[in-house]
Amino acid sequence: MLQKEEIITYRAWRFLKATGQNILTSLLHPTKETVKATAYTVISIYLVTNIVEGMTASKRQKLDATSEWGRYADKPAARGQALSLLMMQLTPYAILPSLLDKFSKKKKDDLSEEEYKSTRAHKLRRRGGEMFADGLLKLGPLYVKIGQILSCRENLFPDEWIIAMDRLQDRVPAKSGKEAWDLLYDAAPGGKAGFHKLFRDFDDVPLAAASLGQVHRATLRSSGERVAIKLQRSRMRDIYDKDLALMKKIAKIVDKFGKAGQVGGIEQSWVSIFNDAESIMYREIDYRDEADNAIRFANDFGIGLGGVEIESTAKGVDGNVLPSAAEWLRTPYTYGDLSSEKFLVMEYVPSIKANNNEALDKAGVTLEDREYLAECLARAYLRQFCANKFFSTDPHAGNLGIEVFENERAPRLVFYDFGQACSLADDQAGGLLEVIESIVDLDAKKSVSAFSRMGVLKDDADLEMVQAKCQQNYDEGKLKVKKRKSRKSSRYTYNTKEQVFDKESEKAELDARIDSAGQAKNTAETAEGVGVNELEVMASFTLQSEYAFAARALSQMDGVGKSLDPEFDFISAAAPYLVEVKGTGKYLKDEIKKKFTSVYGEDGTLAKKLKSFKSLALGLKCQRRSKDVCE
């Protein structure tokens, strides 16, 4: 007697056989009705298959949100469907809260924090943010990267969405237990035997996990030192091969649309930018490149094993070696000789995440400390952009920590993860320095000169219009530098080797420079750029890929800086350290030359007074002569 399962299998086989025969007959002897029926059948099978596949994938993602990364890379259409579904699900959560705020009797700004958290609008935004973060996490590593960047742009999304996306920085689901050991043996040079020969006490519960890898603690057998080992996730190169190939096609399509691919009116080649991005991203999944980047970063700032001071390899504009940053900056020492493509060994340096205000409060990090740390972040990037000519492009909060000391020493900023880094040419670095100084001095003419040196202006750019727009921005206060905040605590007194001026004289020097720039602006002639169309000005610019990465770094840095100091802006925070980057002699020489030019130069105070005197003299002369002669 046949079992129940055998009967079901037999009936299913007969149904499929009959269906196949009917389809074959329809193809051999097609009629309008059979063609229509066949098309409906194929579409139905396709839809049912996709629904079943989607439901199965959803079950897997509940256990591991990263489970479909490989499948989505193999089947971009499946990811496209998942992305479309995510956008449809998010739509009400993006629109309804704004409508509720609009028709609410009490406006959001009038509510206390507790009152707002009890509103329907807050609950919808929080749910929407969680859905968005979960959706990006499920789509793949490149989408996690997008979420990391977006989480640093507080002005683009509601706070609830920013908080939700924040976990994409270092809390991506990780492998632990046996899966972690398998990942370790697959990545370690020499496999299982090679790992145990050099290391012991591997902790299979990861410290942190990001889009590309996860970090575990272990111990070096030779020295007993605690180290952090970064292990790469499986299939990363294969996923990148497929995902980046698709994105490259999209970049080519965008370029074909011309102005449609512009950002802020600036002309650019997305293919060119993507090619450089592709190069950087492939280097990111080769931990040997990351090891080289980390070693260079540490050497540029003069930081050795244990965070001790070593001689810096970077030089200032004057050609002299820059001081070690070990007093205010830390980065883990990297064991390049023990690392490989999927296995990175670093010094274990615990810290508090830069935007974890609750943990910083518990550790006794004061508001003054945080303002100082935000300034350290700007100082670090001023040196990277203008002296080191090499910078980390990914300074989100997951890659920045705060090292706190038990004694009276000021806390120290910690940089992690150098998978993405970019180099600058001499003129690019020099041009960036000149742009920063031109903003400090509110000097529109110098800004245009800096843009030209950077190579961001087209050959046919209207320089007068660009200068007029810069002057307009300065006159309207759209770009201005704030004076440096005074600090009362003695813990911020740096080593004499680090400081060119003592704390008070340095602050006085910067304040005088800002005041001088303000006076020059106030006495300047009215800008002719009033009413200049911003898009027309932006059309004079062309965006090089290096500056796209610099802009990305500045954007992420600004988000972290504002989490430490709500009044943070890069130029104001970096301005006090121009003297460090340029060198004392060079800085003072340039300041004297600038002041001399401001008085005796072609557009200086003396020239303007002479011009006014001549106009006055001509007016008096006209009063004594006939009107015809004056004309």
Side-chain angles (χ1 to χ4, degrees):
M1 189 173 180
L2 293 174
Q3 297 294 323
K4 184 178 180 181
E5 291 80 2
E6 292 175 331
I7 293 171
I8 292 172
T9 302
Y10 176 72
R11 288 177 177 175
W13 178 82
R14 287 193 63 184
F15 171 77
L16 291 173
K17 181 180 178 182
T19 301
Q21 288 174 342
N22 289 335
I23 292 173
L24 183 61
T25 302
S26 298
L27 292 173
L28 293 174
H29 307 285
T31 65
K32 187 176 181 180
E33 289 72 20
T34 57
V35 170
K36 187 184 294 186
T38 302
Y40 286 151
T41 302
V42 171
I43 292 171
S44 299
I45 292 172
Y46 175 78
L47 291 174
V48 170
T49 302
N50 275 286
I51 291 170
V52 172
E53 193 176 52
M55 292 174 63
T56 306
S58 181
K59 289 181 180 179
R60 290 194 295 263
Q61 287 172 332
K62 287 181 180 178
L63 299 174
D64 178 5
T66 68
S67 65
E68 306 308 297
W69 285 9
R71 184 174 75 90
Y72 284 154
D74 295 335
K75 298 181 178 180
R79 178 163 45 205
Q81 292 170 7
L83 183 58
S84 299
L85 179 61
L86 175 63
M87 293 300 103
M88 290 171 60
Q89 292 173 332
L90 284 173
T91 299
Y93 293 96
I95 296 174
L96 287 178
S98 297
L99 292 176
L100 289 171
D101 286 341
K102 184 176 181 180
F103 295 106
S104 175
K105 294 180 180 179
K106 281 190 175 182
K107 300 302 178 185
K108 180 180 176 181
D109 294 339
D110 298 329
L111 299 174
S112 67
E113 185 176 350
E114 291 302 318
E115 287 175 331
Y116 175 65
K117 284 184 177 179
S118 66
T119 64
R120 183 66 176 165
H122 166 71
K123 293 175 182 176
L124 286 170
R125 286 192 178 104
R126 185 176 62 185
R127 176 58 183 150
E130 290 170 354
M131 288 177 62
F132 187 45
D134 288 342
L136 290 175
L137 178 58
K138 292 173 182 177
L139 289 170
L142 293 182
Y143 293 83
V144 174
K145 287 288 180 187
I146 291 170
Q148 291 172 351
I149 295 170
L150 294 177
S151 69
C152 297
R153 298 300 302 271
E154 296 181 358
N155 57 320
L156 294 181
F157 294 94
D159 292 340
E160 294 88 345
W161 287 46
I162 296 295
I163 292 170
M165 287 188 287
D166 182 61
R167 62 186 170 86
L168 297 176
Q169 294 171 352
D170 59 356
R171 295 195 296 278
V172 177
K175 308 295 183 184
S176 57
K178 183 181 181 302
E179 290 180 310
W181 282 102
D182 292 341
L183 199 63
L184 170 70
Y185 293 149
D186 179 61
K192 181 177 180 179
F195 172 79
H196 288 291
K197 182 179 179 181
L198 298 174
F199 302 91
R200 59 181 174 83
D201 300 333
F202 177 76
D203 186 351
D204 59 22
V205 177
L207 290 168
S211 54
L212 303 183
Q214 56 190 58
V215 180
H216 296 259
R217 278 177 294 196
T219 305
L220 283 175
R221 287 191 180 277
S222 58
S223 63
E225 182 188 347
R226 296 289 282 168
V227 294
I229 299 176
K230 187 174 179 181
L231 304 175
Q232 190 175 122
R233 294 178 182 272
S234 60
R235 282 199 68 185
M236 280 295 102
R237 186 167 291 278
D238 179 44
I239 291 172
Y240 265 37
D241 285 344
K242 292 169 179 174
D243 283 356
L244 291 174
L246 176 62
M247 290 189 174
K248 196 167 189 175
K249 292 178 182 177
I250 295 172
K252 289 179 179 178
I253 293 171
V254 172
D255 271 351
K256 288 181 179 179
F257 284 95
K259 290 185 178 181
Q262 293 182 3
V263 173
I266 300 177
E267 184 177 310
Q268 58 209 319
S269 166
W270 281 103
V271 170
S272 176
I273 291 174
F274 181 84
N275 286 337
D276 287 329
E278 183 180 38
S279 175
I280 287 177
M281 296 187 80
Y282 270 118
R283 289 201 298 270
E284 189 179 17
I285 57 173
D286 188 336
Y287 288 167
R288 292 167 297 190
D289 280 323
E290 182 173 347
D292 290 342
N293 291 340
I295 291 168
R296 176 173 175 180
F297 182 92
N299 289 337
D300 281 346
F301 281 100
I303 302 168
L305 179 63
V308 301
E309 176 182 325
I310 61 174
E311 184 176 0
S312 170
T313 55
K315 295 180 180 180
V317 178
D318 63 353
N320 293 322
V321 173
L322 289 172
S324 168
E327 182 70 21
W328 51 275
L329 189 67
R330 178 81 185 271
T331 190
Y333 179 84
T334 301
Y335 295 86
D337 57 329
L338 300 179
S339 301
S340 65
E341 182 181 0
K342 300 180 181 180
F343 187 85
L344 181 64
V345 185
M346 305 160 285
E347 176 187 10
Y348 175 55
V349 181
S351 68
I352 301 170
K353 192 175 175 181
N355 64 352
N356 189 342
N357 290 320
E358 184 179 349
L360 292 173
D361 288 338
K362 288 181 180 179
V365 180
T366 66
L367 293 176
E368 194 175 38
D369 288 334
R370 294 177 208 197
E371 290 172 358
Y372 160 74
L373 289 163
E375 193 174 281
C376 289
L377 180 59
R379 183 183 185 182
Y381 266 91
L382 179 69
R383 282 183 58 159
Q384 289 179 75
F385 286 146
C386 304
N388 303 356
K389 302 168 190 173
F390 173 80
F391 64 95
S392 167
T393 67
D394 208 17
H396 59 71
N399 290 339
L400 294 167
I402 308 300
E403 185 179 22
V404 181
F405 301 95
E406 293 182 358
N407 55 24
E408 289 302 310
R409 181 177 177 178
R412 184 162 54 172
L413 187 67
V414 185
F415 270 76
Y416 301 101
D417 195 334
F418 300 94
Q420 292 191 21
C422 184
S423 296
L424 295 171
D426 290 346
D427 278 338
Q428 290 175 323
L432 283 170
L433 179 59
E434 288 180 10
V435 166
I436 293 168
E437 288 203 280
S438 72
I439 295 173
V440 173
D441 296 330
L442 303 177
D443 188 337
K445 189 173 183 179
K446 187 174 182 179
S447 295
V448 176
S449 174
F451 293 149
S452 295
R453 182 177 180 185
M454 291 169 66
V456 297
L457 290 175
K458 295 180 183 176
D459 293 337
D460 60 348
D462 187 336
L463 301 185
E464 290 185 2
M465 182 172 64
V466 173
Q467 182 175 329
K469 188 60 182 178
C470 290
Q471 188 64 56
Q472 180 185 340
N473 289 338
Y474 294 148
D475 290 344
E476 294 176 356
K478 292 180 180 178
L479 290 170
K480 59 181 179 180
V481 178
K482 295 173 287 190
K483 292 183 178 180
R484 188 181 189 184
K485 297 178 182 179
S486 297
R487 297 196 183 92
K488 299 175 182 179
S489 177
S490 59
R491 69 196 297 181
Y492 305 111
T493 303
Y494 309 132
N495 297 334
T496 53
K497 285 187 291 184
E498 289 191 23
Q499 289 297 93
V500 178
F501 305 123
D502 63 66
K503 196 165 50 175
E504 291 305 319
S505 64
E506 183 190 71
K507 183 179 183 304
E509 178 76 20
L510 177 62
D511 288 352
R513 183 172 184 176
I514 294 172
D515 286 337
S516 176
Q519 291 168 9
K521 179 178 77 71
N522 292 333
T523 58
E525 296 178 2
T526 304
E528 296 177 3
V530 177
V532 172
N533 186 294
E534 189 164 342
L535 289 178
E536 289 181 10
V537 175
M538 290 298 100
S540 294
F541 287 81
T542 178
L543 183 66
Q544 297 173 15
S545 56
E546 290 85 355
Y547 299 126
F549 295 122
R552 173 192 170 183
L554 285 168
S555 172
Q556 295 195 33
M557 176 189 61
D558 187 68
V560 177
K562 281 185 168 58
S563 72
L564 294 166
D565 176 8
E567 297 180 3
F568 173 84
D569 77 83
F570 171 65
I571 302 295
S572 297
Y577 303 103
L578 289 169
V579 62
E580 177 181 70
V581 168
K582 296 182 75 173
T584 314
K586 173 68 174 169
Y587 180 85
L588 294 175
K589 183 180 177 181
D590 287 351
E591 284 301 290
I592 292 170
K593 182 179 178 181
K594 183 186 70 178
K595 289 175 182 177
F596 182 87
T597 303
S598 69
V599 176
Y600 299 105
E602 183 180 343
D603 298 319
T605 306
L606 184 59
K608 289 175 183 176
K609 287 183 177 179
L610 286 172
K611 185 178 180 181
S612 298
F613 179 76
K614 287 179 179 178
S615 297
L616 178 61
L618 180 61
L620 292 173
K621 189 175 180 180
C622 285
Q623 290 177 9
R624 292 194 294 266
R625 290 188 170 194
S626 67
K627 185 178 179 182
D628 291 339
V629 173
C630 291
E631 292 176 348

